[in-house]
Amino acid sequence: MPSSSEWTNPLRDPRDARLPRIAGPSGMVIFGVTGDLAKKKLLPAIYDLAHRGLLPAGFTFVGFGRREWSNEQFQDYVRDAVEEKARTEFDEHVWQRLAEGMNFVQGNFDSNESFDELASTLSRLDKERGTGGNWAFYLSIPPNSFSDVCHQLDRTGMAVGGEKNWRRVVIEKPFGHDQESAHKLNEIVNAVFPEDAVFRIDHYLGKETVQNILALRFANQLFDPLWNAHYVDHVQITMAEDIGLGGRAGYYDGIGAARDVIQNHLLQLLALVAMEEPISFSPHEMQAEKVKVLRATRPIEPFSETTARGQYAAGWQGSEKVKGLREEEGFDPNSNTETYAACTLEINSRRWAGVPFYLRTGKRLGRRVTEIAIVFKNPPHQPFHPGQTASLGNNAVVIRVQPDEGVLMRFGSKVPGSAMEVRDVNMDFSYSEAFTEQSPEAYERLILDALLDEASLFPTNEEVELSWAILDPILDYWANNGAPDEYAAGSWGPESSDAILARDGRTWRRP
Ligand code: BG6
């Protein structure tokens, strides 16, 4: 018999996989509920799930925080967040049903009394709301508080379920700042929660277009024969943002773009693009393949030529004049935090030997775009005069993660006319044109999966530590080699980043 989680996975469920998956009786406690992430993403996603009918009837959630709030004040706070940010429309009836199960417990992470109260609140709610003793604890808090919270959940017996009920922990990034600190955090968490009860969030894995990498690669015959070092010249993974860091100094200063984005989102994209076909989409098989590819991945040296980092200076974002990082509120005016990071990686496997993977991310760039470009080699021979193909670039498959979600294929085509001239053309699949269904937000999918015990889209402790191991040598090099290069806000990053590809006779795509 398959386990309960196997039945709930749409990719493996032997019943009609198009049916919605609905969470069983359960509740969620959010630590860090007054933070930015909870307000902008978690609370709206919970409402959206309720609106889509995917939460159980008595779904209950508890906010835990320092504020002296009554349940009603907490509900007002959540309502504001939902009205402002939910993806689905506001429905008074849905809201009322959700609000009935909303509670607030006031307290500090190091206070026995507060956690005793939380424990008795959960017992009471189990009786009143039929949550069945099934609770997920969502840690949307800085990693230096993990230890206190895990200790308290352990001390009060809240961390362990019984034979018939479950307890899980959902953890937000940043998960450490290097391999060693990530390892320590894993030890702290795993001392209290077994690994199969730990759900580490990488919200990129909850995006539809990221899951579509699996469909594109493993449901089709068209791409796989070309998906290797014989045909692929190089791969570019780009996550560009146009926003700046005003208001995020507390989290970002001293962290920087590589830790914020490359260690997690971009390395997970790399793993999905480069991994071998998993035996199934069970968490275990998926994670096994991702681990194999991360284990084989190394940064290419010398870092002076294969990496770049930058910090945005004042400039123009479209028609808006914007500040440089050092002038942003809360940042150290001498901050050396990078807001742009690029690196070159290689994967030591038969499939990928010799194919560079270029990764880049930055704030205040020309526009917001996340994409993965698989750029192919030129044909070994072309029966054309050089002039006839002078405007022909490399063939490419571009997976557009966001915005304008879709997949683009670039190849050469004859220009109409009596002469033979070959030029690049695009064949474009766009989600919004092909489907009428709207994509759910990543957090809707991931919160639901955590409640359903479906772990395929959550990185394991090993994946997290391996990702840090890939990045650590670059971070060490940067720490000992001066300040980041400046780039103007609204540009495409520092010149040193273009030099990484120019060295190999290549250029970054201008999305
Ligand atoms: C977060 C980073 O993980 O992802 C942010 O901490 C970044 O710095 C954000 O802005 C981007 O997410 P998305 O879903 O808007 O691409």
Side-chain angles (χ1 to χ4, degrees):
M1 265 299 273
S3 71
S4 67
S5 79
E6 278 174 300
W7 288 97
T8 56
N9 184 330
L11 298 169
R12 282 176 290 130
D13 195 332
R15 297 167 305 183
D16 188 338
R18 293 163 298 183
L19 292 175
R21 303 169 306 142
I22 301 174
S26 52
M28 178 173 269
V29 179
I30 304 184
F31 297 97
V33 76
T34 54
D36 212 40
L37 182 83
K39 198 169 171 188
K40 291 192 178 137
K41 299 284 182 186
L42 308 184
L43 302 172
I46 290 173
Y47 170 84
D48 287 326
L49 286 172
H51 194 255
R52 292 165 64 204
L54 301 179
L55 294 180
F59 184 75
T60 300
F61 81 86
V62 178
F64 181 100
R66 277 192 300 252
R67 302 210 190 163
E68 303 213 339
W69 273 345
S70 63
N71 283 349
E72 289 68 34
Q73 284 169 307
F74 177 55
Q75 288 164 13
D76 289 344
Y77 168 81
V78 180
R79 184 178 177 128
D80 286 348
V82 168
E83 284 187 332
E84 195 181 332
K85 293 281 182 196
R87 181 177 64 84
T88 57
E89 71 192 23
F90 191 82
D91 178 322
E92 197 61 45
H93 180 66
V94 173
W95 167 255
Q96 284 306 335
R97 284 213 357 196
L98 193 61
E100 278 166 20
M102 245 175 248
N103 291 260
F104 189 73
V105 173
Q106 196 263 331
N108 290 318
F109 296 153
D110 57 358
S111 151
N112 287 352
E113 210 187 331
S114 315
F115 277 79
D116 290 343
E117 196 196 326
L118 180 64
S120 61
T121 305
L122 298 197
S123 305
R124 174 175 60 77
L125 290 169
D126 279 335
K127 291 190 197 97
E128 289 173 10
R129 309 263 317 151
T131 29
N134 300 320
W135 290 94
F137 299 98
Y138 201 118
L139 310 191
S140 178
I141 53 178
N144 57 13
S145 302
F146 287 6
S147 172
D148 279 344
V149 173
C150 286
H151 163 72
Q152 290 290 358
L153 293 174
D154 190 29
R155 184 188 65 77
T156 48
M158 283 189 279
V160 281
E163 260 176 35
K164 294 205 175 115
N165 68 315
W166 51 259
R167 301 292 161 109
R168 293 176 197 141
V169 66
V170 184
I171 307 182
E172 269 297 335
K173 66 176 228 267
F175 204 84
H177 54 90
D178 57 13
Q179 189 186 13
E180 196 185 333
S181 57
H183 183 69
K184 284 194 185 132
L185 287 178
N186 277 327
E187 283 182 338
I188 290 171
V189 173
N190 288 140
V192 176
F193 290 94
E195 182 61 17
D196 63 5
V198 182
F199 292 74
R200 294 175 194 75
I201 296 267
D202 184 317
H203 81 279
Y204 264 60
L205 296 181
K207 291 182 189 273
E208 284 287 329
T209 39
V210 172
Q211 290 157 47
N212 191 38
I213 298 171
L214 299 175
L216 186 87
R217 292 195 56 202
F218 303 126
N220 296 306
Q221 176 70 338
L222 189 57
F223 303 102
D224 188 62
L226 305 179
W227 216 258
N228 57 54
H230 294 300
Y231 299 100
V232 175
D233 180 70
H234 70 280
V235 177
Q236 299 187 13
I237 304 183
T238 299
M239 176 184 159
E241 293 182 282
D242 50 6
I243 49 169
L245 286 155
R248 286 191 76 204
Y251 161 71
Y252 202 91
D253 207 8
I255 296 272
R259 289 186 170 93
D260 183 40
V261 164
I262 294 185
Q263 181 271 333
N264 38 73
H265 308 325
L266 298 198
L267 284 175
Q268 283 291 326
L269 293 182
L270 173 140
L272 292 177
V273 164
M275 73 184 201
E276 296 302 315
E277 179 183 286
I279 292 168
S280 76
F281 291 110
S282 76
H284 179 72
E285 302 297 352
M286 280 284 290
Q287 287 151 0
E289 292 305 336
K290 283 198 280 167
V291 160
K292 246 166 66 187
V293 84
L294 290 171
R295 237 188 236 298
T297 304
R298 313 245 181 295
I300 298 183
E301 297 193 52
F303 295 143
S304 56
E305 293 175 26
T306 59
T307 72
R309 69 193 155 130
Q311 187 185 69
Y312 65 83
W316 289 88
Q317 196 87 52
S319 57
E320 189 195 351
K321 190 160 198 265
V322 296
K323 293 178 188 165
L325 181 86
R326 294 178 179 199
E327 294 100 58
E328 297 272 23
E329 190 195 326
F331 279 89
D332 182 340
N334 298 313
S335 173
N336 275 342
T337 300
E338 87 276 356
T339 57
Y340 182 101
C343 61
T344 317
L345 306 179
E346 63 182 350
I347 300 174
N348 292 310
S349 67
R350 173 175 283 230
R351 186 186 283 270
W352 294 116
V355 178
F357 282 68
Y358 301 105
L359 275 49
R360 64 175 162 164
T361 183
K363 306 278 184 195
R364 285 270 184 248
L365 298 182
R367 60 177 278 235
R368 173 173 182 254
V369 58
T370 299
E371 63 164 45
I372 302 160
I374 317 293
V375 182
F376 291 90
K377 292 181 173 167
N378 285 323
H381 172 257
Q382 289 176 326
F384 298 98
H385 293 298
Q388 294 175 316
T389 54
S391 312
L392 179 64
N394 296 57
N395 293 168
V397 172
V398 181
I399 301 168
R400 281 199 313 267
V401 175
Q402 64 186 26
D404 309 328
E405 290 80 357
V407 179
L408 177 141
M409 281 168 62
R410 189 181 68 189
F411 52 89
S413 180
K414 181 181 175 307
V415 180
S418 56
M420 174 55 89
E421 186 193 351
V422 186
R423 226 187 263 164
D424 287 326
V425 292
N426 291 331
M427 205 158 86
D428 207 344
F429 147 64
S430 148
Y431 270 80
S432 60
E433 282 171 24
F435 300 111
T436 49
E437 294 88 343
Q438 257 199 7
S439 297
E441 275 280 325
Y443 276 98
E444 291 170 49
R445 171 69 196 252
L446 296 177
I447 290 172
L448 183 63
D449 277 5
L451 294 175
L452 287 166
D453 196 20
E454 172 43 60
S456 303
L457 299 178
F458 295 85
T460 55
N461 47 9
E462 198 179 1
E463 285 171 65
V464 171
E465 290 184 33
L466 284 169
S467 305
W468 280 117
I470 295 166
L471 202 59
D472 277 355
I474 299 175
L475 294 171
D476 286 347
Y477 171 79
W478 285 349
N480 296 312
N481 283 280
D485 300 328
E486 264 192 10
Y487 62 97
S491 71
W492 278 97
E495 279 170 20
S496 50
S497 178
D498 294 336
I500 301 177
L501 272 74
R503 163 184 184 263
D504 299 337
R506 302 180 175 115
T507 52
W508 287 112
R509 278 172 49 80
R510 285 280 176 261

